[in-house]
């Protein structure tokens, strides 16, 4: 039986940043309703891949398709309006605005639905307590909750998250993992870049590993998690050593 | 970059204005002080109206528009055109205010419209290249000035104020001009409207967010490009508004008007803190008052007041009176 068409598909994508050739023909498929994890060492091209998908970098060659439509070269707002939420590595929180004001900008069509906001506050109660606080005064973990909370405060077809656990305390990582796991249970389509292998393993259905701007491995997360030799070869570390 | 959004919460800069006024009051009679203060506040409001567009454009777009003076001149010529086309000799205050309002609206529309063209033709091509921005905006300013000479001539054009806005009245021995009071009111209105728009509306929220992180605003689905165009047009519209007020005050317009006051405008924006609306308002009032007080108390020092004030403020606060958080 033929596989269902992926929600997001990258075919032979190359990206240049200035005179640097960063992505060398990335092929990636993100199936709907699943969590796809992009792994790789620092500088492998993971963040550039995400930024190219959302249009912050322009692909110099290749094609990016979302829900069957070509989005290569489209402007970032047009791509976002198709239903793609992006949480960047630096979280993209507006630090000079309050938490409430950050949420007012969650939806380009207008203020987010109250019911949706209630659900976010239930997942991240600390945000309700800090509602009128300036986002710049939040801790790293709270900022990450705000960034993810803002992304899910409105309905999206795909959630792209870049290293949500970066720089966070273990207790905060556990809390975030649980929040993302509940999104996974709700069959939210997620493309996750993550260096924390325990978190990646807990959340990922599919995995792709990048090296030097190319995808060098793709498969089921369970298969990678079970193959210590493969982990060591691809990532230089085993998942087991990080649990 | 420095958001238009959050001001520094330091209260000290706000005390400079009352301190200056109190010092001046101690050095002169009350009636002279009141006359000079109202006149100084009016000049300050005119400076604010001419300068606010420059600081708004810088705050959001990181563009220092050296052609800003050209838009001030455009507003002044629009005032001449409207007031010449609609003479209201002998009309009442309402008629005079109506014609001035019409001139303000026409100038804002012309300034905003030309601003859009200017942004499209010049600014957009040099985004993110400060040196080229300076060259292009200086060049654009020269072109604007020359076009206005072609359209309106090189000779000064007289712009008599409507009769109802001439003269004034005496309160507590102080002479208060009607026009100056009107300018103070207009300056306050524009300041309040800008402040409210930036801090109490969704559009203002979006502008503040864009200043901090344009990429993220776009990733949330907002078209920051259009927002920037809107702010640029608003900035040039406000410059033209300042030109109308300035022209009616001077009673005469030449194509050099903008070039003549652009240095003052830059001093206001620098003293206030680049990108800061409240700082711009405070600095403009401070400059207007200081000029009047010094001109009265020590006329020989009057010429150097602007530079001395800027020097003093920058030595005290290198980023200006009310710099933005995160700058």
């Amino acid at each position: 039986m033929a596989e269902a068409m992926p929600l997001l598909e990258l075919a032979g994508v190359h990206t240049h940043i200035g005179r640097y050739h960063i992505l060398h023909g990335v092929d990636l498929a993100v199936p709907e309703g699943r969590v796809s994890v992009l792994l790789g060492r620092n500088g492998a091209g993971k963040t550039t891949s995400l930024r190219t998908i959302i249009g912050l970098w322009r692909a110099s060659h290749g094609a990016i398709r979302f829900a069957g439509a070509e989005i290569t070269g489209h402007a970032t707002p047009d791509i976002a309006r198709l239903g793609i939420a992006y949480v960047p590595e630096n979280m993209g929180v507006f630090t000079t605005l309050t938490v409430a004001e950050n949420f007012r900008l969650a939806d380009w069509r207008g203020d987010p639905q109250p019911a949706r906001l209630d659900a976010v506050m239930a997942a991240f109660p600390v945000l309700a307590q800090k509602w009128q606080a300036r986002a710049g005064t939040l801790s790293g973990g709270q900022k990450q909750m705000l960034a993810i909370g803002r992304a899910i405060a409105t309905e999206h077809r795909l959630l792209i998250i870049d290293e949500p656990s970066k720089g966070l305390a273990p207790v905060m990582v556990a809390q975030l993992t649980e929040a993302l796991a509940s999104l996974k249970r709700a069959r939210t389509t997620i493309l996750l870049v993550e260096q924390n292998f325990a978190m990646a393993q807990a959340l990922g259905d599919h995995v792709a590993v990048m090296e030097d701007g190319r995808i060098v491995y793709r498969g089921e997360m369970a298969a990678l998690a079970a193959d210590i030799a493969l982990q060591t070869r691809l990532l230089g570390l085993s998942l087991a050593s990080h649990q | 970059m420095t958001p238009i959004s959050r001001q520094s919460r330091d209260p000290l800069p706000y005390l400079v204005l009352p301190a200056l006024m109190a010092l001046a009051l101690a050095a002169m009679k009350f009636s002279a002080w009141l006359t000079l203060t109202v006149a100084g506040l009016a000049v300050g409001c005119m400076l604010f109206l001419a300068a606010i567009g420059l600081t708004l454009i810088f705050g959001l777009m990181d563009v220092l528009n050296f052609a800003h003076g050209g838009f001030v001149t455009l507003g002044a010529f629009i005032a001449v055109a409207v007031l010449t086309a609609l003479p209201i000799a002998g009309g009442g205050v309402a008629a005079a205010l109506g014609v001035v309002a019409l001139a303000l609206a026409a100038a804002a529309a012309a300034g905003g419209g030309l601003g859009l063209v200017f942004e499209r033709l010049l600014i957009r091509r040099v985004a993110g290249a400060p040196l080229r921005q300076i060259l292009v905006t200086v060049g654009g300013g020269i072109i604007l000035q020359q076009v206005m000479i072609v359209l309106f001539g090189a000779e000064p054009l007289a712009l008599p104020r409507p009769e109802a806005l001439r003269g004034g009245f005496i309160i507590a021995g102080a002479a208060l001009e009607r026009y100056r009071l009107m300018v103070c009111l207009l300056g306050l209105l524009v300041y309040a409207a800008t402040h409210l728009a930036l801090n109490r509306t969704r559009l203002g929220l979006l502008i503040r967010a864009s200043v901090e992180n344009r990429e993220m605003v776009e990733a949330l689905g907002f078209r920051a490009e259009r927002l920037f165009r809107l702010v640029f047009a608003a900035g040039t519209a406000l410059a033209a508004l300042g030109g109308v007020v300035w022209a009616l005050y001077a009673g005469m317009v030449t194509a050099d008007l903008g070039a003549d006051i652009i240095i003052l405008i830059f001093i206001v924006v620098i003293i206030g803190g680049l990108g800061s609306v409240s700082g711009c308002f405070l600095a403009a009032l401070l400059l207007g008052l200081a000029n009047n007080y010094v001109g009265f108390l020590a006329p020989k020092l009057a010429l150097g007041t602007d530079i001395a004030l800027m020097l003093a403020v920058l030595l005290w606060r290198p980023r200006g009176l009310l710099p933005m958080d995160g700058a």
Side-chain angles (χ1 to χ4, degrees), chain B residues 54-124:
Chain B
L54 188 70
T55 216
L56 269 178
I57 290 169
F58 180 80
L60 177 63
M61 301 173 70
D62 228 355
V63 169
L64 261 183
N65 180 17
F66 283 85
H68 193 76
F71 291 93
V72 175
T73 315
L74 173 72
F77 278 121
I78 297 285
V80 173
V82 171
L83 271 87
T84 309
L86 298 169
I88 45 159
V93 174
L97 289 178
V99 172
V100 171
L102 201 64
L104 290 170
L114 189 63
L116 282 177
V117 175
F118 198 83
E119 192 275 339
R120 179 73 185 84
L121 292 181
L122 299 177
I123 303 293
R124 207 179 299 177

Side-chain angles (χ1 to χ4, degrees), chain A residues 51 56 76-78 80-81 84 86 88 92-98 101 104-108 110-111 134 150, chain B residues 3 5-6 9 199-202 205-206 208-210 212-213 215-224 325:
Chain A
R51 286 175 64 85
L56 292 171
T76 300
D78 296 331
R81 287 178 181 206
I84 302 180
Y86 171 58
V93 160
F94 302 115
T95 56
T96 57
L97 308 186
T98 63
E101 288 172 331
R104 282 196 70 193
L105 297 179
D107 191 344
W108 58 272
D111 287 342
R134 279 174 69 176
R150 189 179 61 188
Chain B
S5 52
R6 303 280 169 178
R9 282 152 200 261
N199 293 291
R200 294 278 182 271
T201 66
R202 187 173 163 85
L205 185 63
L206 205 49
R208 290 186 283 140
S210 300
E212 184 180 339
N213 189 343
E215 274 191 356
M216 197 59 225
V217 163
E218 293 195 325
L220 286 166
F222 299 99
R223 301 190 201 282
D325 289 359

Side-chain angles (χ1 to χ4, degrees), chain A residues 160-183:
Chain A
I160 297 176
I161 311 176
D162 197 353
E163 293 208 45
S165 74
K166 192 177 180 183
L168 300 189
V171 62
M172 209 55 92
V173 174
Q175 209 175 332
L176 268 180
T177 306
E178 179 43 41
L180 293 174
S182 72
L183 289 175

Side-chain angles (χ1 to χ4, degrees), chain A residues 148-165:
Chain A
I148 293 172
R150 189 179 61 188
I152 60 174
T154 180
E155 199 171 333
H156 288 102
R157 295 188 67 185
L158 170 66
L159 191 54
I160 297 176
I161 311 176
D162 197 353
E163 293 208 45
S165 74

Side-chain angles (χ1 to χ4, degrees), chain B residues 291 300-309:
Chain B
N291 264 307
K300 285 184 180 170
L301 299 179
L303 271 178
T305 309
D306 307 329
I307 299 295
L309 188 67

